Amino acid sequence: MKDGLRQSMAWVHTWSGLLVCWLLLLVFMGGTASYYRHEITFWMKPELHKAAGAQSVITPAQSTALAVRELQERAPKATRWTIDLPEERNPLILANWQNPPKKGMTREERRDAFRKQNFSLDPATGLQTAAPRDSRGGEFLYRLHFDLYYMSAIWGRWIVGVAAMFMLVAIVSGVITHKRIFKDFFTFRPRKGQRSWLDAHNVTAVLALPFHLMITYTGLVTLMFMYMPAATKVLYGAEQNVMFGEVFPNAERSKPAKVAAPLADLAPMLAQAERAWGVAPSRVAVSHPNDAAARVELYRPSGQQLSNIEPSMTFDGVSGALLSQTAPASTTLAARAAIYGLHVAHFADPLLRALFFVCGLAGCAMVATGALLWGVKERQAYAKVVAKGGRVGFGVRLVDALNIGAIAGLPIAFAAYFWANRLLPVDMAQRSNAEANWFFIAWGAAALLAQIRPTRAMWRFQLMVGAVLMAGIPVLNMFTTESHLGVTLFGGAGLGKVAAFDLVVLLLGALLGWAAWWLGQKAKKKAAAQQPMASTGTTSKMEAA
């Protein structure tokens, strides 16, 4: 503490943020997009749009009956059926099933098989919709922000967890080191070089400081059993499943009796749950259908409750008798469920969800401006060297290249993911994997170009590419589907989310285009300022001669 607490914290803040800022930017961007992952998934499956635009005329009981009839034909021997009934964010009847895993199947093969075991029904007609294209949609972005990709999910979560811990340290140390944190929140001085970047960093950090602290801390707590396993290993040893069964009772699964028995009518169960809750269930899950040990679980809509634990009722699948209801959670489990629910924000109404999205964008800006601030500050230290014809240090050039590859390159990657969704052949094998691959191909190309030439011109080029790709998504959508803005803006509530997606990416493209234009104007002013200086220098030499 030779330099004092604030100076020491300033050093901690700088390096704890810089070392992981590019990974944190990916995590923040993926997490921010995940607030609308259902809407993104819906946009990326245009085959469902026509059915969603129609007015639903059937009840939850009728919707369930239609889905059960289809499941009986497709998967009568499945281990589990799940039916999601229409709601505000899901206008269709969605159903999937799980089959017993085949011997020798890897985890990835089981996941690929499960993705194909689903269908959707039009709630207006009860008919099956056109089979949607194979796409992970928003789920890819959601998983990307904590599982990463091309690696084991465990490794990805550990890497993201370490980065999140660095982020938490950076936030706390930033608050400690910034003695005028609230005063500077209302201060922004444009065209002041390093001072302007510092002001931008302060504003975006303080504007959503509670959100940044909450989202970082809750992200760590949701995976606490993986990051801090010592206590559970002491109590349960190798029997970790026993621990999860006790802590999360809903995770327990009944075993099949292997005796055939007809499934009871689900309508009375739905009616009983609706009388108890005052609202119709949003999800129906049937374990071991057509078996004597069948169980039917009905889940209440989460509404605006903070906890992510959905109240449920469990019925005997053969007799229809009520077996149990969700027991009041223990204090520990309720606290953990509230923390997890706060992180994923499933309780949020449309306005609050939009606020979370804006705060997420502020987090992206905070990380980006922090990385840029370091580069600007270090470049100023090399000003005299550059004036004499020298070059900045390797570390500064590396950070400049990484900044371009992440800050300007990631929007290109996101846009490429959406372009791939529309341009790849619909019947292509492993299509969802190909979409994800194009995300990383585009990002890798942007990062490689940035490493080769980390200049202001490269900033402008990549920002402009991102602007064209983002703003071009609604245009591409117009030529590849029937769900363009001319239709979706007036297509009813079911298509409003499609129009909203197109408008948001159009706005993001405009912002990227403005950033590229601003850099171009700045370069022109700098060149104009240098020209008179060069002329003056030449005249002086002639006079001296």
Side-chain angles (χ1 to χ4, degrees):
M1 293 290 181
K2 180 181 177 182
D3 297 325
L5 177 62
R6 279 203 170 91
Q7 288 78 6
S8 299
M9 287 297 102
W11 183 90
V12 172
H13 178 73
T14 298
W15 290 102
S16 61
L18 183 67
L19 292 175
V20 295
C21 64
W22 304 286
L23 175 60
L24 282 174
L25 192 59
L26 172 66
V27 171
F28 258 94
M29 284 189 176
T32 301
S34 296
Y35 286 125
Y36 291 100
R37 71 178 186 270
H38 300 300
E39 289 78 3
I40 291 173
T41 300
F42 184 68
W43 183 90
M44 295 181 74
K45 295 184 177 182
E47 293 79 11
L48 306 178
H49 296 174
K50 185 177 181 181
Q55 185 72 27
S56 176
V57 295
I58 59 177
T59 65
Q62 291 172 320
S63 299
T64 304
L66 289 168
V68 167
R69 184 182 66 187
E70 191 70 27
L71 286 164
Q72 288 285 21
E73 293 180 5
R74 291 175 176 241
K77 296 182 180 179
T79 57
R80 187 173 176 84
W81 296 341
T82 303
I83 305 167
D84 288 310
L85 301 176
E87 52 159 345
E88 183 182 3
R89 299 183 69 192
N90 165 37
L92 303 175
I93 305 169
L94 306 178
N96 62 64
W97 66 91
Q98 296 177 18
N99 288 327
K102 295 179 181 178
K103 242 183 180 181
M105 285 184 74
T106 65
R107 188 175 181 179
E108 190 58 37
E109 287 173 338
R110 289 199 299 270
R111 283 182 179 176
D112 287 340
F114 177 69
R115 291 190 194 114
K116 299 174 183 177
Q117 295 163 188
N118 62 79
F119 61 86
S120 56
L121 301 176
D122 185 340
T125 63
L127 300 176
Q128 185 175 343
T129 63
R133 61 193 64 190
D134 179 25
S135 174
R136 294 179 65 186
E139 192 66 21
F140 164 72
L141 302 176
Y142 170 65
R143 290 285 173 182
L144 178 67
H145 102 279
F146 66 93
D147 277 354
L148 303 182
Y149 203 70
Y150 299 125
M151 66 175 66
S152 163
I154 298 297
W155 277 105
R157 293 179 188 188
W158 269 108
I159 293 170
V160 171
V162 171
M165 183 58 70
F166 273 68
M167 176 72 175
L168 193 60
V169 170
I171 292 173
V172 175
S173 59
V175 171
I176 293 172
T177 194
H178 201 141
K179 61 183 178 182
R180 300 191 307 172
I181 187 169
F182 292 108
K183 181 179 179 181
D184 284 351
F185 169 65
F186 298 101
T187 304
F188 181 70
R189 287 152 284 194
R191 297 186 293 276
K192 297 293 184 182
Q194 179 184 341
R195 183 73 250 182
S196 298
W197 287 114
L198 181 58
D199 287 345
H201 182 64
N202 291 338
V203 169
T204 54
V206 180
L207 175 68
L209 180 60
F211 173 83
H212 300 327
L213 279 168
M214 176 276 292
I215 209 70
T216 306
Y217 176 74
T218 55
L220 287 166
V221 170
T222 56
L223 297 173
M224 62 183 179
F225 291 112
M226 188 182 79
Y227 298 142
M228 297 181 290
T232 57
K233 285 187 176 180
V234 169
L235 292 174
Y236 295 94
E239 300 296 327
Q240 296 296 298
N241 290 334
V242 176
M243 183 272 293
F244 280 104
E246 292 181 5
V247 177
F248 308 107
N250 291 336
E252 294 181 355
R253 294 282 181 255
S254 60
K255 295 182 179 179
K258 296 185 179 180
V259 177
L263 185 66
D265 183 12
L266 303 189
M269 306 180 203
L270 289 163
Q272 185 175 346
E274 187 170 358
R275 285 195 300 270
W277 294 331
V279 62
S282 61
R283 176 178 295 175
V284 180
V286 182
S287 300
H288 313 299
N290 306 312
D291 185 89
R295 295 290 183 269
V296 178
E297 297 166 280
L298 304 182
Y299 293 91
R300 178 182 176 177
S302 58
Q304 294 185 348
Q305 66 174 16
L306 189 58
S307 172
N308 77 310
I309 299 177
E310 298 172 319
S312 65
M313 287 185 173
T314 302
F315 296 83
D316 187 297
V318 177
S319 67
L322 177 64
L323 298 178
S324 65
Q325 300 186 52
T326 303
S330 65
T331 304
T332 304
L333 179 57
R336 194 259 183 193
I339 290 172
Y340 183 78
L342 191 59
H343 187 80
V344 298
H346 66 243
F347 61 87
D349 59 23
L351 184 60
L352 184 56
R353 189 176 302 278
L355 179 60
F356 269 61
F357 181 77
V358 171
C359 289
L361 292 178
C364 297
M366 175 187 66
V367 175
T369 53
L372 288 169
L373 178 61
W374 188 92
V376 171
K377 184 178 178 181
E378 291 300 311
R379 274 189 170 277
Q380 288 182 349
Y382 282 94
K384 292 182 180 179
V385 176
V386 173
K388 294 178 181 179
R391 299 180 65 188
V392 297
F394 170 76
V396 178
R397 293 199 304 275
L398 177 63
V399 169
D400 284 346
L402 291 172
N403 282 344
I404 298 172
I407 299 170
L410 273 172
I412 295 174
F414 276 76
Y417 179 60
F418 299 130
W419 276 70
N421 174 260
R422 289 296 191 259
L423 295 179
L424 291 175
V426 175
D427 57 352
M428 178 181 181
Q430 300 292 318
R431 193 179 187 281
S432 60
N433 292 335
E435 288 180 357
N437 290 340
W438 274 107
F439 178 97
F440 290 102
I441 290 170
W443 191 21
L448 181 61
L449 285 173
Q451 290 291 336
I452 295 172
R453 194 172 178 81
T455 61
R456 188 185 296 270
M458 181 57 68
W459 270 109
R460 294 201 306 273
F461 171 72
Q462 294 207 16
L463 287 171
M464 188 53 68
V465 170
V468 171
L469 289 177
M470 278 289 183
I473 289 172
V475 180
L476 175 68
N477 194 33
M478 180 176 65
F479 286 105
T480 54
T481 74
E482 298 178 359
S483 306
H484 54 82
L485 281 171
V487 174
T488 56
L489 278 175
F490 311 101
L495 294 177
K497 55 180 69 67
V498 180
F501 179 93
D502 282 343
L503 291 173
V504 168
V505 295
L506 191 61
L507 176 60
L508 292 174
L511 288 174
L512 291 170
W514 173 84
W517 173 85
W518 178 78
L519 279 176
Q521 293 298 110
K522 193 173 180 181
K524 287 180 182 178
K525 288 179 181 179
K526 187 176 180 180
Q530 289 176 345
Q531 191 171 3
M533 293 175 60
S535 301
T536 303
T538 305
T539 303
S540 300
K541 288 180 181 179
M542 291 174 65
E543 290 174 353

